[in-house]
Amino acid sequence: MVFCIIQNRSGQISMGGNTEEIFGYVLAVVVAVWLIWGIWSDGPPVGDDTIAHLIRAEYGIHRFVLNGRLDGWQPSFALGYQQHLFIGPIFTWAVALVQGLSFGAFSTLTAFKVVIVLLFAALPLSVGYLARAFGLSRQASSIAAILSLLVNSPFGGFGLNGLFGIGLTVNLAGAVALCFAIGALLHLIHEPSTYRALLAGVLFALLVATHGISLILATTLVLILLVLMLIDGKITSWITGLKSRGFFSRLDKYCDDTDIDTAPLNVKSTLQLSGWIGWSAIVALAVSAWIVIPIVVHYDLRGILTGWGHTPFLHRLSDIWNGHILFQRSVSFFVAVGLIYGLWRVVCGRYLAFTLVLAPFAFLGLGEVFTFLAPENVISQQIPNRGLGLAGLLAVFPLAALITTVTRPAGKFKNFLAVGLATVFVIITVDKLRPAIRAVTPTPVALAAAAELRKLVPDGARYAMQRDFPDEIRVVGMSHPDFWMAWQSGRNTLNVFNVESSSTPTPAYAPDSMTKQPPDQVADKLSSYGVTHIVLVNQAKASMLLASPRFNLVWQSPPMAILVILPRVGQPNPASLLATECPSQAKLINSDPEHLRISVETTASCNATIAVAWSPKWAVHLDNEIIKISRTEEGLLTLPLTAGAHTISLDFQQDGWDQLSILISFFACFFIFLYGWRRRHLLL
């Protein structure tokens, strides 16, 4: 059976238009920059994970970008992991590009802030592009760009709470790429061509290399949209048929078309359309092969899924309506009015009106279905929360169309009036959120502790920091002080960030419970994880550790303190990163994260563990002879040792899958470039 999709030729790639429409986009960018102007305060921006993203950017630039490498080992958190295996490098590359364009005048922190501002300013532009793909007029799309700043999801992607609350900076980059990618695919559906197929494929590849979770959201939404568009075409044809027989004809005079670009409608078979989408998918997979193939091959290195507790669908809608989440209360009312107008657009037979009204509810509803059927599924974990901002964004599109329509009586001033109303509404609504956008303000005791930690923790070793939420915020001056301490001290931490990328979740969460377990057990475990020092935020809650002979107090400024861990008699110092089952001595003689060298001397044959997360990309030599290593239950590297003196060498390197995937991506990009060069006269 051949289904049909009604297609509008108005879907164009550019967003250009008259002065009033361009003015709308300019205002959207200006308001976005104004909203986050507080980011320019001295120091890193606030946000739970913000500084962890800064650490990753700094490490990635100095370790990979400046050395012409795509990826490598990241030792800053937990027992380390491959930095870009599950979170792509685009954000880091953007920071490096800004820093490079400044010819070194910008520090990494300054470039980091510039990228955040640029992304937040680019978000309304990407939203306008997506709105055009949904058939809204250029004017309505510019209004949608402005209204997108009303969306405020705490789960990242869209809004200030996610960006400066949890600190989901990479999610912001993913949101921009997501809007452009979905928009390009919808434009391909509107008017298929080789150019549009390539563009959609390249943008989806960019999304893959930016933020994998956003790719999950985008793919799910696209599947929903394709189904809704099939239904939408049937509904539009049915309404058109009724009108031709006299039904609803009296209502035509109340149907305004100022919110769409009228154009002839074409009909494309699903089979033809599937072919074009299939070509885009092939392009996306080929261009992003250097990320996709390693993920598929090494998915066993994926860490545990994290998220938030499930909120039932109706309860979530109630929270949105009452202004508890996503929108403020006044905004929820106007969004609801816009959705009612969206239903009127369906009656008027507007292009994709049904799809636009139902899409946000279908998207969240599918997440509810997945949660019921498979609560541990990755889609179940991401759509209801991470996808909330995307659903909210789609929900404001009908409101943009309504504003465009109600301002029509203003005549030649209608565009300026619509843009002005939307801008004033956004400014009045979100102004109260601006004071929360600032830089972190560490306390003097925190600065002193970080300075001591830099001196005390040896190169290559790591520290563990006590968590005492929420009192730690008062003591240190910020949320997640363990990340700030790692950045400020320049030392690795056992505390975990991005546990989804870590294959050693048990060691990664050890700091959370270390003040609640017997001291000897804590000392043995942390020593085997390469932890040399403990940072206490609240000495009063660590009395057992302070009283134990396995820990020595080396610095204090109440309530904070730093303890050194003493190894068990006959065991190596934790700074060696080695632990053995028999008496031994060991020393870390090369602390390069990807080229570790450990000298060890044992009195008997026994097994040893190395405080590094296992990966098949580690090549291990024992006395210049390559050996096969295995992993412990906790995910550490382990190997057998014979009695005597040895040198253990660990080298992290690409495998055959990496080389194959890079080759595929290279040739894909080469052929796309060749096609573009040969057709450049048509593209310009």
Side-chain angles (χ1 to χ4, degrees):
M1 178 181 294
V2 178
F3 295 90
C4 294
I5 293 180
I6 296 180
Q7 174 189 322
N8 191 332
R9 289 187 182 273
S10 66
Q12 301 296 320
I13 296 302
S14 66
M15 293 188 300
N18 59 37
T19 303
E20 296 92 338
E21 293 153 5
I22 296 175
F23 181 61
Y25 287 109
V26 171
L27 267 183
V29 171
V30 170
V31 173
V33 173
W34 168 77
L35 279 175
I36 63 172
W37 194 253
I39 197 176
W40 298 116
S41 304
D42 292 337
V46 295
D48 293 349
D49 294 347
T50 302
I51 299 179
H53 287 293
L54 174 59
I55 291 173
R56 284 171 55 89
E58 285 186 336
Y59 185 84
I61 291 172
H62 293 101
R63 188 78 191 180
F64 310 136
V65 176
L66 295 180
N67 291 291
R69 299 174 56 200
L70 295 176
D71 203 357
W73 191 253
Q74 161 63 274
S76 299
F77 310 103
L79 298 185
Y81 48 76
Q82 188 174 334
Q83 171 146 307
H84 297 310
L85 183 59
F86 296 108
I87 294 183
I90 295 298
F91 184 85
T92 296
W93 290 358
V95 177
L97 178 62
V98 169
Q99 197 170 17
L101 291 176
S102 74
F103 296 100
F106 289 170
S107 65
T108 306
L109 175 58
T110 300
F112 180 80
K113 292 181 178 181
V114 170
V115 170
I116 291 176
V117 172
L118 291 176
L119 287 172
F120 198 75
L123 186 58
L125 302 181
S126 69
V127 170
Y129 179 70
L130 180 61
R132 288 284 295 130
F134 272 102
L136 296 185
S137 68
R138 298 185 186 280
Q139 179 60 37
S141 298
S142 69
I143 301 302
I146 298 171
L147 296 181
S148 68
L149 298 173
L150 294 171
V151 182
N152 192 24
S153 170
F155 307 119
F158 301 89
L160 299 177
N161 282 351
L163 182 57
F164 295 103
I166 302 178
L168 301 173
T169 57
V170 175
N171 296 56
L172 172 62
V176 174
L178 178 149
C179 289
F180 278 123
I182 296 179
L185 191 64
L186 291 178
H187 282 307
L188 173 66
I189 294 172
H190 299 330
E191 191 170 352
S193 70
T194 303
Y195 166 69
R196 287 182 171 84
L198 289 175
L199 178 64
V202 169
L203 288 175
F204 266 93
L206 178 67
L207 181 59
V208 173
T210 302
H211 191 231
I213 291 175
S214 294
L215 175 67
I216 294 173
L217 301 180
T219 304
T220 305
L221 179 60
V222 164
L223 294 175
I224 291 173
L225 291 178
L226 290 176
V227 173
L228 292 179
M229 290 170 72
L230 288 171
I231 301 173
D232 199 300
K234 296 292 185 181
I235 291 177
T236 304
S237 298
W238 177 66
I239 291 177
T240 301
L242 288 177
K243 287 183 177 181
S244 67
R245 294 193 294 271
F247 295 94
F248 301 147
S249 57
R250 294 183 179 180
L251 299 179
D252 277 346
K253 63 181 179 179
Y254 300 106
C255 292
D256 198 310
D257 62 0
T258 58
D259 61 344
I260 64 170
D261 282 338
T262 57
L265 299 178
N266 288 336
V267 177
K268 296 292 181 182
S269 72
T270 305
L271 186 61
Q272 290 176 314
L273 184 60
S274 299
W276 285 108
I277 294 176
W279 275 114
S280 285
I282 291 173
V283 170
L285 289 173
V287 173
S288 62
W290 64 281
I291 283 184
V292 173
I293 291 178
I295 288 178
V296 173
V297 173
H298 300 300
Y299 197 77
D300 58 330
L301 297 178
R302 177 77 177 176
I304 59 177
L305 287 172
T306 60
W308 293 266
H310 176 63
T311 301
F313 182 67
L314 294 180
H315 190 183
R316 177 54 57 83
L317 292 181
S318 175
D319 286 342
I320 294 173
W321 173 252
N322 290 300
H324 298 154
I325 197 170
L326 192 60
F327 298 119
Q328 296 185 52
R329 182 66 180 85
S330 58
V331 177
S332 298
F333 171 78
F334 285 103
V335 170
V337 172
L339 289 171
I340 293 173
Y341 174 71
L343 293 175
W344 175 250
R345 294 178 77 237
V346 176
V347 175
C348 291
R350 292 292 173 257
Y351 176 64
L352 292 185
F354 173 81
T355 299
L356 204 50
V357 170
L358 199 60
F361 300 99
F363 182 61
L364 293 180
L366 182 62
E368 187 74 9
V369 171
F370 268 96
T371 301
F372 176 77
L373 297 177
E376 299 302 319
N377 184 278
V378 64
I379 297 178
S380 307
Q381 294 283 329
Q382 303 304 337
I383 291 181
N385 295 308
R386 303 280 192 184
L388 185 63
L390 179 56
L393 175 69
L394 296 176
V396 304
F397 283 5
L399 178 59
L402 174 60
I403 292 175
T404 303
T405 299
V406 298
T407 54
R408 186 184 186 187
K412 63 180 181 179
F413 298 106
K414 64 180 183 299
N415 292 337
F416 287 114
L417 178 60
V419 168
L421 285 175
T423 302
V424 170
F425 184 41
V426 169
I427 291 176
I428 292 175
T429 303
V430 301
D431 179 60
K432 64 185 69 174
L433 301 175
R434 294 182 68 230
I437 296 118
R438 54 183 175 79
V440 298
T441 52
T443 60
V445 65
L447 289 169
E452 287 297 318
L453 207 60
R454 176 183 289 272
K455 294 186 291 186
L456 293 171
V457 178
D459 291 342
R462 53 182 64 96
Y463 72 90
M465 189 167 186
Q466 175 193 21
R467 299 303 310 279
D468 188 31
F469 183 83
D471 291 341
E472 63 187 14
I473 298 176
R474 174 185 55 82
V475 174
V476 185
M478 71 207 70
S479 62
H480 257 299
D482 47 335
F483 300 155
W484 175 87
M485 194 67 67
W487 176 73
Q488 184 71 20
S489 68
R491 297 308 182 199
N492 300 334
T493 178
L494 183 64
N495 299 71
V496 69
F497 166 72
N498 186 26
V499 71
E500 294 89 347
S501 292
S502 172
S503 59
T504 57
T506 300
Y509 284 114
D512 294 350
S513 59
M514 63 186 179
T515 58
K516 304 172 185 177
Q517 298 177 343
D520 282 357
Q521 179 181 334
V522 172
D524 288 341
K525 277 294 181 185
L526 295 183
S527 293
S528 69
Y529 301 152
V531 175
T532 60
H533 293 79
I534 290 177
V535 181
L536 298 178
V537 177
N538 189 332
Q539 296 184 54
K541 296 183 179 180
S543 56
M544 288 192 300
L545 300 184
L546 289 164
S548 171
R550 296 291 302 277
F551 299 90
N552 276 352
L553 180 67
V554 293
W555 177 88
Q556 68 173 335
S557 180
M560 295 192 69
I562 298 178
L563 309 182
V564 62
I565 300 177
L566 302 179
R568 189 176 293 278
V569 176
Q571 280 294 298
N573 189 295
S576 68
L577 301 183
L578 195 74
T580 59
E581 297 175 349
C582 58
S584 62
Q585 295 180 339
K587 182 179 180 180
L588 184 65
I589 56 179
N590 185 3
S591 59
D592 183 289
E594 296 179 296
H595 304 285
L596 298 170
R597 301 291 182 269
I598 304 171
S599 64
V600 58
E601 185 172 355
T602 66
T603 59
S605 297
C606 60
N607 290 325
T609 61
I610 304 173
V612 174
W614 180 88
S615 169
K617 298 182 181 182
W618 282 113
V620 180
H621 290 78
L622 182 63
D623 298 330
N624 297 320
E625 182 179 344
I626 191 167
I627 63 171
K628 185 177 180 180
I629 56 170
S630 54
R631 62 195 301 181
T632 67
E633 290 184 2
E634 294 182 326
L636 282 69
L637 294 171
T638 180
L639 72 161
L641 294 176
T642 58
H646 305 281
T647 299
I648 304 172
S649 302
L650 294 87
D651 297 288
F652 189 82
Q653 54 195 17
Q654 290 183 337
D655 60 11
W657 292 108
D658 289 326
Q659 296 166 354
L660 174 63
S661 61
I662 292 173
L663 194 64
I664 293 174
S665 294
F666 172 80
F667 279 108
C669 293
F670 174 77
F671 284 120
I672 291 173
F673 172 80
L674 190 63
Y675 173 84
W677 180 258
R678 296 183 63 180
R679 300 297 183 93
R680 63 189 183 279
H681 61 285
L682 298 176
L683 302 178
L684 296 178

